[in-house]
Amino acid sequence: MEIFDRDGTALAYRELGTGPLAVFVHGFPLDSTMWLEQLELLRGVRRCVAIDLRGFGASDAVAEPVLAMEQHAEDVAALADHLGADRIDLVGLSMGGYVALAFAELFPQRLRTLALVDTRAAADSETVKAGRDMMAVRVTVQGRGQLAVEMTEALLGPAASLHVKARMRTMVEGTRVETVVAALEGMKQRPARFDVLSRLSIPVGVVVGEDDTATPVSEAEQMVDAAPDASLTIVEAAGHMTPMENPTAVADALERIWARAGHEGSVVDG
Ligand code: MLT
């Protein structure tokens, strides 16, 4: 792992490969190890960097009671600065997709392409917000073991291997309880970002597992409809964790998205 200092907070990232910079942002309540296969498969075409968002993985613990998507997006921009890259290919899964959409709103000119994997542009409904409040209480009272069981069952498709399930469990159990609670609050507060998508003229690729019940194909289609230059890839034999459940199909999809940026993308005015 590499570490960079972000105004006194140590943020960790793993890096593999050479070429234009691609930044990978993990989901909730996970860490950069969910991208291990993608880094290996794509190291020949990109300088692949997977961040541990603040509070997660090997990054510093934080005291903030809310981990806002915008704060994470600013950290991603700071990481790109640290690595000397003006423009990046940004890849985000689920909560990482919420961060990527916040980045697209704050720094559209810094995107070469945007890959939204098993995620949504919609805000939380009141029912989802109430569910997050209950999850925050449950994880604080019962600990991470129960959360790991719930998340592994909810997020993986029926074809997921025991090894993938084991990795999920390790990631969830390795995430600090206060990070889980602060991330739930941050996700609750995020706005819908279909308008952000509609203003992007860079290549946008939406990728979703055919068995994803957390962010189903219908939500992926809504994002494709919103963005002017968007493609949809439905990944076979995968639930919500497509990069781990069907790594080759996801790597192929990312290569196709990146290949569309033969020209330098730009932002539509207004
Ligand atoms: C994730 O995988 O990051 C979560 O399912 C996102 C969410 O809870 O909305």
Side-chain angles (χ1 to χ4, degrees):
M1 295 294 284
E2 307 288 333
I3 299 284
F4 85 106
D5 175 70
R6 168 90 168 111
D7 300 332
T9 299
L11 296 184
Y13 62 95
R14 55 185 75 240
E15 176 175 356
L16 210 55
T18 53
L21 181 65
V23 178
F24 295 76
V25 187
H26 60 78
F28 164 87
L30 309 173
D31 61 48
S32 60
T33 62
M34 62 151 287
W35 296 113
L36 286 175
E37 292 95 336
Q38 300 307 309
L39 268 52
E40 190 59 47
L41 289 164
L42 295 163
R43 62 189 296 177
V45 290
R46 285 292 185 276
R47 180 184 187 189
C48 297
V49 167
I51 188 171
D52 278 342
L53 294 171
R54 64 175 53 223
F56 291 84
S59 289
D60 264 352
V62 291
E64 293 105 298
V66 182
L67 281 168
M69 301 302 108
E70 296 76 16
Q71 163 80 78
H72 290 314
E74 283 170 7
D75 288 343
V76 170
L79 174 59
D81 290 342
H82 171 73
L83 297 171
D86 186 28
R87 292 163 71 87
I88 62 173
D89 298 294
L90 186 56
V91 184
L93 178 132
S94 202
M95 183 185 76
Y98 310 157
V99 172
L101 285 166
F103 185 100
E105 177 161 33
L106 292 170
F107 311 106
Q109 72 288 353
R110 300 199 65 174
L111 284 173
R112 193 165 37 241
T113 62
L114 176 63
L116 298 165
V117 185
D118 296 285
T119 189
R120 60 168 65 83
D124 282 0
S125 66
E126 291 308 312
T127 310
V128 170
K129 286 182 185 172
R132 293 201 194 282
D133 288 342
M134 286 191 290
M135 184 183 280
V137 172
R138 255 192 341 270
V139 71
T140 304
V141 173
Q142 297 175 350
R144 295 171 292 191
Q146 180 55 30
L147 181 69
V149 171
E150 278 176 36
M151 301 295 287
T152 304
E153 276 171 15
L155 301 187
L156 296 176
S161 68
L162 186 64
H163 187 248
V164 164
K165 289 179 186 168
R167 286 173 61 201
M168 280 292 288
R169 186 161 188 138
T170 298
M171 281 191 279
V172 178
E173 290 191 350
T175 302
R176 300 173 184 94
V177 175
E178 71 270 24
T179 293
V180 172
V181 171
L184 285 164
E185 196 56 41
M187 289 192 286
K188 263 171 66 186
Q189 294 182 8
R190 78 187 195 285
R193 288 203 158 95
F194 290 107
D195 59 324
V196 174
L197 278 173
S198 72
R199 290 195 297 272
L200 291 178
S201 68
I202 52 156
V204 172
V206 178
V207 180
V208 62
E210 64 175 351
D211 299 318
D212 186 349
T213 53
T215 50
V217 172
S218 56
E219 301 225 48
E221 287 169 344
Q222 288 173 16
M223 292 190 288
V224 172
D225 290 345
D229 180 9
S231 63
L232 176 64
T233 303
I234 298 177
V235 178
E236 287 179 0
H240 187 63
M241 297 302 300
T242 52
M244 291 165 62
E245 293 181 73
N246 194 340
T248 313
V250 173
D252 288 349
L254 291 175
E255 279 209 65
R256 285 197 300 275
I257 295 162
W258 296 341
R260 284 160 52 207
H263 64 288
E264 288 289 283
S266 59
V267 180
V268 177
D269 287 330

